[in-house]
């Protein structure tokens, strides 16, 4: 008899956490490590949001809330969807959860039966296939080409659909590539999903972190029919530098929202009450602090692109959103650093950390083994220092 359930044995260990743990241990030991692995803003939560949490504590707002979230927060989220995305929802269609990752799990748990196929473009956020597997689904990976800036085409999506396809996971702006789909591209993918009658999980957690003229377009906004086939996931972690507050949310057709609310009431009950009050303030306030943060990310992005363009043997596809870039490092494979041979993105990342004290995330975790992911959510000074070390490391390989 197996000690662990089959569903839990399908989960792959997180390469992100492994690299991060090693980098933190090295730093704690006094080593000068530059960490490109962290997927969170390096800014503190804006003061007015912190103050809202303090006020909630002073008022004694420390009790249980409805499992799906405070009514006033769910209304604020409806207002946000109307204001930012042109989407009308009722509070009953909104579920507030313990972070966007929790919302993604809830969607997959509510929709997937054993054997249902889920289409996931690669490179992908490493959690998507793991959640699909643990919920009984089968990940179907569609590789997005570098020539198309890491975006899949309608033809590629259509070719992956089978009678078993239940769900398409769509992420724009994308982690880990920074790709942003245009409105026309979203509409073209939606047309395929409408015709096939499959659901879409649209992960829009990075929607405010965009740097070009093209702004993200919500899949649910394509048409009334597409809205009925789409569950939109978002949260406050990235936009408001609130990663540790653990508030995510989703908007869904009413029957799906009710099912998720019922499940969440048994699984976790309500998200943190204090964080919910802080989120109300975040969503209902002017976004000057958000705009300032985006402007700083934009400057770092340009500096990263410029510095990488000067490197030999490595390059990146220019990211248009989020705060990541995929550095293509496959030219280093087959080379060695001393006695250490580099064969893939994992060995590249391991040797880089040991030799140059730079932490990156292996692209293998994202379905792109020829790359490593760099996050530019670290200071400009540290980022430039880290890029210098990467350049010197690559040139030292033999």
């Amino acid at each position: 008899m197996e000690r662990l359930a089959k569903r839990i044995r399908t989960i792959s260990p997180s390469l992100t956490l492994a690299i991060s743990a090693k980098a933190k241990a090295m730093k704690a030991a006094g080593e000068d490590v530059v960490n490109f692995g962290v997927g969170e803003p390096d800014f503190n939560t804006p003061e007015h949001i912190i103050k809202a949490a303090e006020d909630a504590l002073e008022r004694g707002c420390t009790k249980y809330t409805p499992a799906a979230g405070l009514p006033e927060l769910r209304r604020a989220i409806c207002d946000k969807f109307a204001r930012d995305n042109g989407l009308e929802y009722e509070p009953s269609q909104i579920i507030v959860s313990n972070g966007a990752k929790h919302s993604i799990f809830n969607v997959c748990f509510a929709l997937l039966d054993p054997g249902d196929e889920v289409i996931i473009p690669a490179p992908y956020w490493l959690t998507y296939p793991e959640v699909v597997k643990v919920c009984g689904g089968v990940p179907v990976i569609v590789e997005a080409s570098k020539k198309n800036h890491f975006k899949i085409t309608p033809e590629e999506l259509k070719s992956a659909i089978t009678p078993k396809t239940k769900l398409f996971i769509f992420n724009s702006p994308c982690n880990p590539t920074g790709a942003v789909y245009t409105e026309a591209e979203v509409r073209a993918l939606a047309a395929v999903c409408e015709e096939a009658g499959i659901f879409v999980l649209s992960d829009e957690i990075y929607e405010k972190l965009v740097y070009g003229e093209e702004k993200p377009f919500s899949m649910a906004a394509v048409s009334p029919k597409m809205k009925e086939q789409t569950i939109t996931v978002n949260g406050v972690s990235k936009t408001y530098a609130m990663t540790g507050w653990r508030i995510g949310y989703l908007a869904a057709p009413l029957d799906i929202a009710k099912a998720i609310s019922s499940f969440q009431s048994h699984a976790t009950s309500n998200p943190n009450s204090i964080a919910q009050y802080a989120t109300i303030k975040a969503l209902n306030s002017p976004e000057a602090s958000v705009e300032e943060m985006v402007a700083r990310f934009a400057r770092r992005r340009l500096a990263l692109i410029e510095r990488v363009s000067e490197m030999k043997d490595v390059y990146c596809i220019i990211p248009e959103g989020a705060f990541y870039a995929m550095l293509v490092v496959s030219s280093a494979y087959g080379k060695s650093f001393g006695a250490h041979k580099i064969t893939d993105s994992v060995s590249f990342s391991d040797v880089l950390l040991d030799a140059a004290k730079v932490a990156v995330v292996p692209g293998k975790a994202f379905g792109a083994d020829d790359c490593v992911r760099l996050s530019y959510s670290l200071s400009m000074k540290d980022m430039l220092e880290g890029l210098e070390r990467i350049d010197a490391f690559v040139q030292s390989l033999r």
Side-chain angles (χ1 to χ4, degrees):
M1 179 184 295
E2 292 284 354
R3 289 172 62 85
L4 297 176
K6 184 177 180 180
R7 61 180 174 272
I8 207 72
R9 285 185 278 125
T10 67
I11 298 177
S12 304
S14 171
L15 289 174
T16 305
L17 293 181
I19 289 288
S20 180
K22 185 176 179 180
K24 287 178 180 177
M26 291 171 65
K27 203 158 190 173
E31 299 191 57
D32 179 21
V33 176
V34 177
N35 191 352
F36 283 101
V38 181
E40 64 179 347
D42 62 325
F43 312 101
N44 193 19
T45 304
E47 187 61 36
H48 65 284
I49 299 173
I50 295 173
K51 182 65 165 54
E54 293 172 347
D55 291 345
L57 283 167
E58 290 294 330
R59 297 197 309 272
C61 302
T62 57
K63 310 297 183 185
Y64 291 130
T65 75
L70 289 163
E72 53 266 51
L73 174 53
R74 294 163 83 186
R75 170 49 62 189
I77 292 168
C78 288
D79 293 342
K80 173 258 177 284
F81 275 116
R83 179 176 64 246
D84 293 345
N85 310 104
L87 290 165
E88 297 295 332
Y89 289 103
E90 293 298 321
S92 57
Q93 295 177 271
I94 305 297
I95 309 296
V96 185
S97 300
N98 299 284
K101 185 182 291 187
H102 184 200
S103 295
I104 290 165
F105 176 85
N106 282 345
V107 174
C108 291
F109 192 84
L111 291 183
L112 300 180
D113 283 318
D116 284 343
E117 293 179 351
V118 180
I119 297 173
I120 304 172
Y124 47 73
W125 182 45
L126 75 172
T127 292
Y128 293 146
E130 305 308 322
V131 170
V132 168
K133 288 187 291 185
V134 83
C135 290
V138 179
V140 175
I141 307 303
V142 177
E143 186 174 348
S145 73
K146 297 179 185 67
K147 289 182 180 179
N148 200 39
H149 304 280
F150 285 129
K151 295 187 281 189
I152 67 166
T153 66
E155 294 75 23
E156 290 167 336
L157 174 60
K158 189 172 184 177
S159 67
I161 295 174
T162 75
K164 293 183 178 181
T165 304
K166 184 70 174 289
L167 180 66
F168 168 44
I169 297 182
F170 180 67
N171 178 211
S172 175
C174 176
N175 173 10
T177 67
V180 178
Y181 286 75
T182 67
E183 179 178 341
E185 290 167 337
V186 173
R187 289 186 178 278
L189 293 174
V192 175
C193 296
E194 285 189 357
E195 182 181 0
I198 62 173
F199 287 104
V200 177
L201 190 168
S202 183
D203 181 353
E204 302 180 6
I205 190 72
Y206 293 97
E207 69 168 342
K208 297 294 180 74
L209 304 182
V210 289
Y211 312 107
E213 294 183 3
E214 191 67 46
K215 302 303 178 186
F217 185 76
S218 290
M219 184 72 74
V222 167
S223 68
K225 182 178 180 182
M226 200 63 237
K227 187 180 176 185
E228 281 299 302
Q229 293 175 217
T230 301
I231 302 92
T232 302
V233 170
N234 209 321
V236 295
S237 293
K238 314 299 182 179
T239 300
Y240 302 100
M242 294 176 68
T243 50
W245 298 71
R246 306 314 302 138
I247 295 292
Y249 55 84
L250 62 84
L254 185 58
D255 59 332
I256 296 174
K258 284 183 176 180
I260 291 174
S261 178
S262 178
F263 168 60
Q264 183 164 293
S265 71
H266 295 294
T268 62
S269 297
N270 63 274
N272 179 281
S273 61
I274 304 307
Q276 288 190 66
Y277 284 101
T279 299
I280 293 170
K281 185 67 172 180
L283 293 175
N284 289 337
S285 299
E287 296 194 340
S289 59
V290 177
E291 292 167 1
E292 178 184 350
M293 182 174 66
V294 172
R296 290 173 70 176
F297 281 143
R299 290 193 290 271
R300 295 177 194 175
R301 168 184 168 271
L302 289 175
L304 180 143
I305 292 168
E306 182 178 348
R307 183 63 187 87
V308 170
S309 71
E310 298 170 351
M311 297 183 185
K312 296 178 180 178
D313 302 323
V314 298
Y315 68 95
C316 71
I317 305 300
I318 295 176
E320 299 295 339
F323 39 64
Y324 309 106
M326 292 293 269
L327 187 69
V328 183
V329 297
S330 52
S331 64
Y333 300 172
K335 297 181 180 180
S336 297
F337 182 84
H340 302 284
K341 190 164 187 178
I342 295 172
T343 58
D344 58 11
S345 62
V346 177
S347 55
F348 180 94
S349 301
D350 283 341
V351 178
L352 176 68
L353 182 54
D354 289 334
K357 306 296 185 291
V358 176
V360 298
V361 183
K364 185 175 182 179
F366 309 109
D369 198 27
D370 57 344
C371 302
V372 296
R373 190 192 74 174
L374 307 179
S375 170
Y376 47 93
S377 63
L378 70 172
S379 72
M380 180 76 82
K381 178 177 178 293
D382 286 348
M383 183 188 75
L384 293 175
E385 170 62 24
L387 292 173
E388 289 292 335
R389 295 185 191 182
I390 291 172
D391 192 7
F393 171 77
V394 171
Q395 297 311 309
S396 72
L397 299 177
R398 296 291 180 265

